[in-house]
Amino acid sequence: MPARTGAQYLEKLKKDRREIYLDGERIEDITVHPQLKGGAESIAHLYDLQYLHPEVMLTENENGEKVGTAFMFPKSKDDLWKLHKATKLWSEASAGIMGRSPDYLNITFACYASRTDVWDKYGESEKGKNLENYFKYIRDNDLCLTHCIVNPQVDRSVPEAQQGEGDLALHKVGETEDSIIVSGARMLGTLAPFADEMTIYPSRAGQGIRPEDSKYALMFAVPMDHPGMMLLNRDSFSKQRDLFDYPLSSRFDEQDAIVIFDNCHIPKDRVFIDGNTELYRAVTAEVNWGAYIVFQAMTRALTKLEFLFGIGHMIADMNGVNAFDHIKEKLGEIWQYKELTRTAIVSAIEGAQDNGVNGVLIPDGRPLQALRGLMPKWIPRSIELIQLIGGGGFLCTPSKKDMQGHLRPFIDKYYQARNKSALEKIKVNRLAWDFIGSDLAGRGELYERFYLIDSFRVTMDTYTNADKEVEMALVKKFLDQMVLEEEAVANGK
Ligand SMILES: Cc1cc2nc3c(=O)[nH]c(=O)nc-3n(C[C@H](O)[C@H](O)[C@H](O)COP(=O)(O)OP(=O)(O)OC[C@H]3O[C@@H](n4cnc5c(N)ncnc54)[C@H](O)[C@@H]3O)c2cc1C
């Protein structure tokens, strides 16, 4: 089957009988649930965009079928540009709010499938083959995945095996001829109500796994309605209000869920790691996943920064506050974050290198890694700057019903801006509030701080993994010039 349309995506979702709960209720049909249908329709729209922009959004598999660009193995810089443009198009559909649009995990699994040599290296060729087959399955059926790669917060100061006497973190509890049996929980499946498949794979924390903890070393995938798997959503931030009132919350709540496995049988052909702690560590460290996924993530972040700069400028201009130097400086600061992000993406493409295995091109990880540590600071800072620019205007926002009521002549008079009608100004302020202040906006800010682990650990890794030779050589050149006479004599100079 070639790339899906939105209607095909919704049709499959409608038939699905996953065990998923929201506010105490088991959801029977996600596509009609008042708090979830907005999100489902937004994902469907992304699939429709594939056919509106086929030159960017589609590529071909080895059978000549049209499949999503995010599934490609990029082999040239042109391919990486195409991947970037495809991500950009999808991210613009929600102004960057839907961080886990299907391309996020499609790219992740394309990356894994392009490096099954790592599975060979650790003696797991059969599971590497499972992974390759799974990748072809999701690519050729154009599936949307969610992932839960973090064990629940219980006691972060001790290893996973010590959480609730080893019983809480996801782990293997048994095996049959055809399946492994798992129990335990994981967080935090963004997109869980809207995805076709649940995936489990190692996170950065997995690098600390101990050989004796092999039952926690798991990587697998199952359909969302797989028996023995339950999902518990957080509160919905989807406003059941008119699009005029909440232009973003009414459509773009991608949800987040805890997944609980209760003696769940995972078919062996869907298992990619089962107990091999060395491979579990290597998957994070050796397959170039970081470069690929941060390439996708920073493209989306660029869209968010563009939106923040655009809305900030619009507010400042309509309120006349961009006449003040410190407001110009605040807007300039957001512009700088945006431009540095754009430049880092260009630099990642220009510095891309062959993976040395099968000609797949890896974006240069250095500028991306730098952004990965900085973005959790830049986006919250940009949100703060918008608040400082907009002041109380975000709360001078009559609703659609107010606008249609008898107070409208007063609203038109007292809510006007220097260069905008009251209606135009209220629209800008409502849109901005839904991006920086509503409950969906609060979740979005938390997302930026944590979805790729926190800035503290990422920045620490940046230092640890940095190639320091060029910089050391520069310093050494000067140290070598600082010679005492006795040293020169001792060195025969
Ligand atoms: C909105 C949102 C969506 C998300 N979506 C997904 C998803 O789709 N899939 C998924 O798998 N995960 C998802 N996550 C989870 C995300 O991966 C985690 O939040 C992230 O890995 C951090 O883990 P944590 O939240 O458990 O925080 P913790 O690890 O508990 O960290 C909390 C604080 O403690 C500090 N800390 C914790 N451990 C250490 C340590 N060993 N050393 C030093 N400091 C430490 C951290 O620096 C941080 O400041 C999402 C998170 C959010 C907020």
Side-chain angles (χ1 to χ4, degrees):
M1 184 175 114
R4 287 191 291 186
T5 61
Q8 287 168 323
Y9 160 76
L10 288 174
E11 191 184 310
K12 181 171 183 305
L13 190 61
K14 196 170 188 57
K15 288 186 197 143
D16 185 286
R17 289 292 166 262
R18 71 195 61 188
E19 191 175 346
I20 189 161
Y21 298 88
L22 174 61
D23 192 22
E25 176 199 356
R26 181 170 175 176
I27 310 298
E28 291 301 329
D29 182 352
I30 282 149
T31 65
V32 297
H33 190 278
Q35 291 178 312
L36 296 171
K37 72 178 167 74
E41 283 162 9
S42 294
I43 300 290
H45 173 62
L46 298 183
Y47 284 108
D48 281 338
L49 280 177
Q50 298 194 121
Y51 285 97
L52 286 174
H53 303 279
E55 69 296 344
V56 174
M57 300 299 310
L58 297 178
T59 184
E60 280 187 2
N61 67 9
E62 60 275 6
N63 304 321
E65 288 169 331
K66 294 284 178 207
V67 297
T69 297
F71 293 108
M72 84 156 125
F73 288 179
K75 297 257 169 114
S76 66
K77 289 182 184 170
D78 282 349
D79 284 349
L80 284 176
W81 275 114
K82 181 168 171 164
L83 195 54
H84 165 69
K85 285 179 191 160
T87 298
K88 191 77 177 59
L89 246 170
W90 267 11
S91 69
E92 284 173 6
S94 69
I97 292 173
M98 297 189 99
R100 294 277 158 77
S101 48
D103 51 343
Y104 184 91
L105 284 160
N106 296 163
I107 290 172
T108 294
F109 274 79
C111 172
Y112 290 151
S114 73
R115 291 303 312 273
T116 51
D117 60 295
V118 175
W119 272 254
D120 298 339
K121 179 177 161 188
Y122 291 93
E124 298 282 4
S125 298
E126 201 182 317
K127 296 200 173 53
K129 191 78 200 147
N130 288 347
L131 182 59
E132 247 174 68
N133 292 339
Y134 180 67
F135 169 69
K136 286 184 182 163
Y137 168 72
I138 58 168
R139 179 195 64 187
D140 298 343
N141 290 282
D142 201 8
L143 296 184
C144 169
L145 316 181
T146 182
H147 69 305
C148 284
I149 61 175
V150 180
N151 283 302
Q153 288 172 315
V154 183
D155 181 355
R156 288 283 188 245
S157 69
V158 296
E160 281 159 358
Q162 287 163 15
Q163 309 293 325
E165 296 173 356
D167 204 31
L168 301 183
L170 177 65
H171 62 288
K172 182 173 169 181
V173 293
E175 186 162 354
T176 68
E177 200 181 325
D178 308 320
S179 59
I180 63 165
I181 308 168
V182 301
S183 280
R186 282 250 178 134
M187 60 192 272
L188 187 59
T190 300
L191 218 64
F194 312 116
D196 301 296
E197 296 265 325
M198 166 62 69
T199 62
I200 300 292
Y201 57 87
S203 69
R204 177 191 177 280
Q207 283 181 300
I209 198 162
R210 307 172 305 180
E212 64 266 36
D213 294 337
S214 61
K215 65 179 178 174
Y216 301 92
L218 295 169
M219 178 174 178
F220 61 82
V222 284
M224 291 304 288
D225 58 0
H226 196 66
M229 186 174 83
M230 292 159 275
L231 297 140
L232 191 48
N233 285 313
R234 61 154 164 78
D235 283 2
S236 170
F237 303 143
S238 178
K239 293 277 180 308
Q240 296 159 64
R241 294 271 294 271
D242 193 272
L243 197 140
F244 179 92
D245 292 340
Y246 285 94
L248 306 173
S249 310
S250 56
R251 291 180 287 172
F252 303 131
D253 183 4
E254 59 186 349
Q255 263 292 351
D256 308 288
I258 292 277
V259 62
I260 299 166
F261 294 91
D262 184 24
N263 286 304
C264 182
H265 288 238
I266 312 295
K268 283 192 175 167
D269 61 355
R270 290 295 200 100
V271 176
F272 317 126
I273 300 179
D274 172 16
N276 188 331
T277 51
E278 283 193 331
L279 175 59
Y280 197 77
R281 272 197 299 268
V283 164
T284 322
E286 293 182 32
V287 300
N288 320 117
W289 169 84
Y292 274 106
I293 212 53
V294 181
F295 184 59
Q296 188 276 355
M298 293 307 135
T299 298
R300 181 196 58 81
L302 174 62
T303 299
K304 250 192 174 177
L305 288 169
E306 286 170 349
F307 186 90
L308 283 160
F309 180 69
I311 200 97
H313 166 64
M314 211 174 265
I315 292 165
D317 193 48
M318 78 185 182
N319 293 343
V321 295
N322 56 358
F324 307 121
D325 286 350
H326 78 97
I327 298 288
K328 287 181 192 158
E329 189 245 6
K330 289 180 170 58
L331 286 163
E333 188 177 331
I334 303 176
W335 185 89
Q336 289 166 347
Y337 298 146
K338 170 183 78 68
E339 276 308 297
L340 285 173
T341 305
R342 190 183 61 74
T343 316
I345 291 167
V346 174
S347 154
I349 296 175
E350 288 310 312
Q353 292 197 348
D354 191 313
N355 69 1
V357 181
N358 48 16
V360 171
L361 218 56
I362 312 157
D364 187 344
R366 291 170 301 175
L368 297 172
Q369 187 66 13
L371 282 189
R372 184 177 170 185
L374 287 167
M375 204 56 75
K377 297 174 181 159
W378 285 0
I379 290 186
R381 169 69 180 152
S382 301
I383 289 169
E384 181 191 18
L385 290 169
I386 299 289
Q387 286 182 4
L388 295 173
I389 291 166
F394 301 116
L395 306 178
C396 301
T397 42
S399 68
K400 182 178 181 183
K401 284 186 184 150
D402 293 328
M403 295 300 286
Q404 292 172 333
H406 70 284
L407 291 178
R408 180 64 188 269
F410 294 102
I411 292 173
D412 282 343
K413 180 172 176 187
Y414 293 113
Y415 285 76
Q416 65 181 290
R418 69 180 186 96
N419 57 6
K420 280 196 183 336
S421 69
L423 176 61
E424 288 168 323
K425 178 177 167 179
I426 289 161
K427 279 188 191 175
V428 172
N429 277 333
R430 291 203 80 96
L431 180 63
W433 180 248
D434 215 4
F435 204 81
I436 65 153
S438 65
D439 41 12
L440 185 76
R443 179 267 175 199
E445 190 174 334
L446 191 71
Y447 181 83
E448 301 300 345
R449 289 184 197 276
F450 278 107
Y451 77 105
L452 283 173
I453 317 176
D454 56 282
S455 173
F456 156 68
R457 282 177 279 184
V458 170
T459 308
M460 187 178 78
D461 288 350
T462 307
Y463 166 70
T464 307
N465 301 329
D467 182 350
K468 302 165 186 91
E469 286 204 3
V470 173
E471 296 80 357
M472 294 280 279
L474 179 63
V475 176
K476 194 163 178 307
K477 191 177 89 178
F478 287 89
L479 291 175
D480 288 348
Q481 294 163 0
M482 300 156 66
V483 184
L484 294 175
E485 289 78 9
E486 341 25 329
E487 272 185 283
V489 171
N491 292 334
K493 288 183 184 162

